[in-house]
């Protein structure tokens, strides 16, 4: 039963993806819409991403400083730990979990509303490939913008760690800088971007799927929006694990 | 011309259409009438492919609509205009953007040409000057007319209207009917209209099919409506005692004249 439902959704999701990825009817229409989405996702989410990253960086640093206590581990390790946690895990995963809540629910509600008000039917009848026109610009925008947000999040986290430790005197400026410059593995940055891309893909397509296939009325629209967030979150965490196993 | 062959549509165990075979002609106002829940909207959505038939099929000029590949389907759909029961205007776009949308999507017109075409269509539906307003800022009757303008902007060969004048006052309803009828004649469009408005039936019905319980139970034109002694038809059309008496009087008068 559960397996049936899952296979049904996976099948329908794949079919939707197939129609999403096709040649645009009119490039300029898609381009305009993509820019609008980039603005929405990027500029619209930058503040919350910066805020959360700043605090996560700060908390990581403070916690680690506390755990080091009077141990023999040199204090400059704080910078090193904050950097790696931010790049490998916190920036891509937390940012995308947050974006699944903010952008994902928005995508599901927008597309779901269009489905319910027969806007999608109206476009279909004109001959528009609606899956493509409604989803591709969002997907492209997310794939371009979300990695940038993730990079920003990593940078801000590291700054957050700095502010929380150097300003309070737990670590000196030069120790923290030494820390973030130690044991650097460039491949970690690649992992960060791979995660960001995969998560961006998941959260836009899963949310769009929820909205595109919504039926009924406002209660179902609310459910679709919730499902978009929950399913995206679960899949992001599952893929986070899989990528960790695969890439490290 | 559009022809349906033994169209059957079921939802779960609810058989809404039970084998509809009929034809809709070019340059004619083809009306589908029937009580609420008779399956008019379902039939219309089958005609345009928003639903897939459980059995049977639809032919556009002898082309089987449901065996087309996506490219052929898109070609036909660009010749189709539809007015939805709930208008389906894009509410985050202005009236002008709504009407221009198909032009932006499918034509290589210049901005100027698009602007002219939009203005022409708005003029055609007597709505000059509402371009910058949002659909929520104009009245229901105006929304219908915007819907019509959007439906005809690409000069369709087929026009589908689902209850074009429900919720309108009789005067506006007649204006909308005549608008659709004129456009149909002018551009030789195959127009299919769902309605339960008797004024439309008697005013513009070039071909009328009456649906009941998933079947077509009567078909004919507006002149035959009066004459027909089909009981289901009389029962449906002259449901009110007032209309029933009017018809009897009219027929008596006519017979006296003979
Ligand atoms: N998407 C759907 N899923 C399940 N059943 C449906 C669906 N659409 C319509 N039906 C059923 O089909 C029947 C006919 O509905 P339809 O909307 O075609 O009626 P109608 O003739 O257009 O009525 P009205 O004049 O009130 O618009 C109804 O019993 C309805 O429950
Ligand atoms: Mg209906």
């Amino acid at each position: 039963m559960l397996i049936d439902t899952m296979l049904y959704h996976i099948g329908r999701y794949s079919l939707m993806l197939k129609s999403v990825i096709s040649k645009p009817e009119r490039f300029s229409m898609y381009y305009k819409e993509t820019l609008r989405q980039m603005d929405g996702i990027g500029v619209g989410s930058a503040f919350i991403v910066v805020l959360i990253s700043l605090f996560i960086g700060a908390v990581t640093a403070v916690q680690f400083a506390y755990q080091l206590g009077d141990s023999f581990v040199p204090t400059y390790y704080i910078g090193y730990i904050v950097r790696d946690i931010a790049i490998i895990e916190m920036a891509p995963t937390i940012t995308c979990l947050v974006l699944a809540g903010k952008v994902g629910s928005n995508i599901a509600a927008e597309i779901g509303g269009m489905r319910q008000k027969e806007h999608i039917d109206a476009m279909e009848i004109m001959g528009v490939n609606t899956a493509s026109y409604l989803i591709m610009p969002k997907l492209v925008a997310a794939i371009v913008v979300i990695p940038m947000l993730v990079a920003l999040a990593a940078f801000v986290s590291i700054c957050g760690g700095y502010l929380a430790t150097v300003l309070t005197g737990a670590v000196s400026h030069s120790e923290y800088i030494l820390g973030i410059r130690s044991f650097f593995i460039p491949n970690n940055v690649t992992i960060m971007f791979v995660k960001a891309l995969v998560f961006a893909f998941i959260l836009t397509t899963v949310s769009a799927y929820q909205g595109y296939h919504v039926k009924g009325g406002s209660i179902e629209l609310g459910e679709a929006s919730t499902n978009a967030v929950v399913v995206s979150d679960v899949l992001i965490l599952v893929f986070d694990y899989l990528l960790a196993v695969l890439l490290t | 011309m559009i022809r349906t062959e033994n169209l059957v549509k079921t939802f779960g165990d609810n058989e809404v259409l039970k084998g509809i075979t009929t034809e809709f002609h070019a340059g004619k106002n083809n009306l589908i009438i029937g009580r609420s829940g008779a399956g008019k909207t379902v039939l219309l959505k089958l005609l345009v492919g928003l639903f897939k038939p459980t059995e049977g099929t639809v032919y556009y000029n002898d082309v089987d609509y449901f065996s087309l590949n996506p490219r052929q389907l898109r070609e036909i759909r660009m010749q189709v205009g539809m007015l939805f029961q709930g208008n389906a205007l894009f509410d985050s776009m202005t009236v002008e953007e709504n009407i221009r949308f198909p032009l932006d999507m499918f034509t290589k017109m210049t901005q100027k040409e698009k602007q002219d075409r939009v203005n022409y269509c708005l003029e055609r539906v007597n709505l000059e000057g509402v371009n910058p307003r949002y659909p929520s800022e104009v009245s229901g009757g105006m929304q219908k007319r915007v819907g019509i303008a959007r439906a005809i902007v690409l000069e369709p060969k087929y026009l589908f209207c689902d209850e074009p004048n429900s919720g309108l006052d009789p005067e506006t309803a007649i204006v909308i009917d005549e608008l659709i009828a004129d456009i149909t004649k002018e551009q030789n469009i195959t127009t299919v209209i769902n309605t339960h408005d008797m004024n439309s039936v008697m005013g513009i019905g070039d071909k009328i099919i009456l649906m009941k319980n998933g079947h077509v139970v009567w078909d004919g034109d507006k002149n035959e409506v009066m004459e027909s002694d089909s009981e289901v038809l009389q029962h449906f059309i002259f449901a009110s005692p007032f209309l029933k008496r009017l018809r009897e009087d009219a027929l008596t008068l006519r017979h006296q004249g003979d």
Side-chain angles (χ1 to χ4, degrees):
Chain A
M1 190 59 212
L2 184 69
I3 305 258
D4 276 7
T5 324
M6 266 177 63
L7 286 178
Y8 169 76
H9 284 294
I10 292 172
R12 208 165 55 151
Y13 172 79
S14 315
L15 284 176
M16 185 193 82
L17 283 188
K18 202 177 126 219
S19 12
V20 170
I21 298 158
S22 66
K23 193 170 156 286
E25 286 91 353
R26 183 131 319 259
F27 188 76
S28 60
M29 291 288 277
Y30 279 61
Y31 180 69
K32 219 172 68 185
E33 182 63 14
T34 306
L35 290 187
R36 194 176 72 87
Q37 295 293 339
M38 281 183 177
D39 183 55
I41 300 173
V43 180
S45 309
F47 176 73
I48 183 86
V49 167
V50 165
L51 188 73
I52 291 176
S53 314
L54 195 68
F55 276 92
I56 286 188
V59 172
T60 311
V62 169
Q63 290 277 320
F64 190 65
Y66 167 73
Q67 280 182 327
L68 282 187
D70 298 324
S71 71
F72 296 107
V73 181
T75 41
Y76 77 87
Y77 263 56
I78 291 174
Y80 155 59
I81 290 291
V82 169
R83 183 201 69 210
D84 270 7
I85 288 189
I87 290 178
I88 302 177
E89 182 61 20
M90 289 302 181
T93 312
I94 302 283
T95 304
C96 289
L97 288 176
V98 169
L99 290 180
K102 186 173 176 297
V103 178
S105 62
N106 184 297
I107 290 177
E110 181 183 319
I111 297 183
M114 294 185 75
R115 166 67 74 196
Q116 291 183 336
K117 286 181 279 187
E118 295 188 310
H119 295 178
I120 295 186
D121 288 346
M123 286 185 186
E124 279 286 330
I125 286 174
M126 293 172 189
V128 179
N129 175 349
T130 53
S132 182
Y133 175 65
L134 294 175
I135 301 172
M136 178 119 86
K138 295 185 171 59
L139 182 58
V140 171
I143 281 181
V144 173
V145 169
I146 290 183
M148 294 187 201
L149 284 174
V150 167
L152 176 71
F155 175 74
V156 173
S157 292
I158 294 169
C159 296
Y162 179 91
L163 294 177
T165 50
V166 177
L167 292 191
T168 57
V171 188
S172 73
H173 169 79
S174 48
E175 275 177 318
Y176 193 84
I177 298 296
L178 175 65
I180 60 175
R181 299 184 64 174
S182 305
F183 319 113
F184 181 65
I185 306 169
N187 193 38
N188 287 348
V189 176
T190 314
I191 295 180
M192 176 181 84
F193 281 121
V194 170
K195 283 186 174 181
L197 282 177
V198 172
F199 298 166
F201 185 87
I202 291 176
L203 81 88
T204 29
T205 53
V206 167
S207 307
Y209 171 80
Q210 293 292 341
Y212 196 73
H213 293 286
V214 77
K215 291 210 169 67
S218 40
I219 294 183
E220 285 79 2
L221 188 59
E223 278 171 4
S225 191
T226 312
N227 285 345
V229 180
V230 174
V231 177
S232 300
D233 279 354
V234 171
L235 287 177
I236 285 174
L237 292 172
V238 169
F239 275 82
D240 189 25
Y241 174 75
L242 292 178
L243 288 174
V245 172
L246 272 176
L247 297 177
T248 54
Chain B
M1 188 192 73
I2 299 175
R3 188 158 58 83
T4 71
E5 209 172 270
N6 188 35
L7 268 188
V8 175
K9 180 66 185 174
T10 52
F11 294 104
D13 51 10
N14 178 13
E15 192 170 40
V16 178
L17 301 182
K18 300 173 182 163
I20 305 276
T21 303
T22 187
E23 284 180 5
F24 304 107
H25 298 284
K28 294 240 160 75
N29 303 297
N30 302 277
L31 268 49
I32 303 173
I33 60 175
R35 291 179 54 182
S36 194
K40 304 185 293 293
T41 299
V42 171
L43 178 55
L44 210 62
K45 286 190 173 174
L46 275 167
L47 292 179
V48 296
L50 286 175
F51 288 147
K52 294 238 175 320
T54 313
E55 266 176 55
T57 190
V58 175
Y59 294 94
Y60 279 60
N61 286 332
D62 295 320
V63 178
D64 183 346
Y65 190 73
F66 290 98
S67 65
L68 297 174
N69 67 34
R71 225 196 59 237
Q72 296 166 319
L73 183 66
R74 213 181 72 191
E75 256 157 45
I76 288 205
R77 283 195 162 166
M78 285 171 62
Q79 308 173 356
V80 168
M82 179 152 178
L83 180 65
F84 283 77
Q85 198 160 357
N87 293 328
L89 297 175
F90 308 137
D91 43 20
S92 48
M93 297 184 193
T94 62
V95 165
E96 163 150 347
E97 286 164 343
N98 264 281
I99 301 173
R100 212 182 52 212
F101 183 85
L103 299 175
D104 285 339
M105 206 65 174
F106 297 113
T107 71
K108 294 198 168 102
M109 288 180 171
T110 63
Q111 288 300 326
K112 172 85 175 58
E113 286 167 336
K114 287 182 200 166
Q115 188 67 55
D116 289 347
R117 180 75 193 148
V118 168
N119 288 338
Y120 169 80
C121 289
L122 277 174
E123 230 169 80
R124 194 67 198 73
V125 298
N126 299 318
L127 273 184
E128 298 96 331
V130 297
N131 309 43
R133 294 214 236 157
Y134 284 89
S136 59
E137 297 169 350
V138 302
S139 75
M142 286 161 119
Q143 287 178 9
K144 293 270 183 214
R145 284 187 271 172
V146 175
I148 295 173
R150 188 178 69 181
I152 61 169
V153 71
L154 284 178
E155 303 188 323
K157 291 209 177 75
Y158 309 95
L159 181 63
F160 300 89
C161 305
D162 199 352
E163 315 260 356
N165 44 28
S166 66
L168 300 181
D169 66 273
E171 220 176 316
T172 314
I174 289 173
V175 171
I176 300 267
D177 274 351
E178 282 174 353
L179 184 63
I180 295 173
D182 288 350
I183 294 170
T184 301
K185 299 269 140 65
E186 268 168 35
Q187 306 181 15
N188 199 35
I189 301 174
T190 305
T191 301
V192 183
I193 305 169
N194 276 354
T195 186
H196 28 210
D197 183 346
M198 284 317 115
N199 285 323
S200 313
V201 173
M202 304 313 281
I204 60 168
D206 298 326
K207 157 150 187 159
I208 301 156
I209 66 171
L210 171 62
M211 291 182 52
K212 192 179 178 189
N213 298 331
H215 295 284
V216 174
V217 290
W218 186 85
D219 77 84
D221 66 23
K222 62 185 174 199
N223 299 319
E224 289 163 345
V225 167
M226 271 294 198
E227 310 285 341
S228 165
D229 45 19
S230 154
E231 235 173 76
V232 266
L233 180 75
Q234 298 312 337
H235 192 74
F236 177 74
I237 303 255
F238 302 102
S240 79
F242 171 66
L243 284 178
K244 203 175 275 169
R245 220 181 55 230
L246 270 190
R247 171 174 183 265
E248 277 156 16
D249 289 353
L251 287 179
T252 326
L253 273 179
R254 193 178 296 183
H255 288 143
Q256 282 170 359
D258 286 347

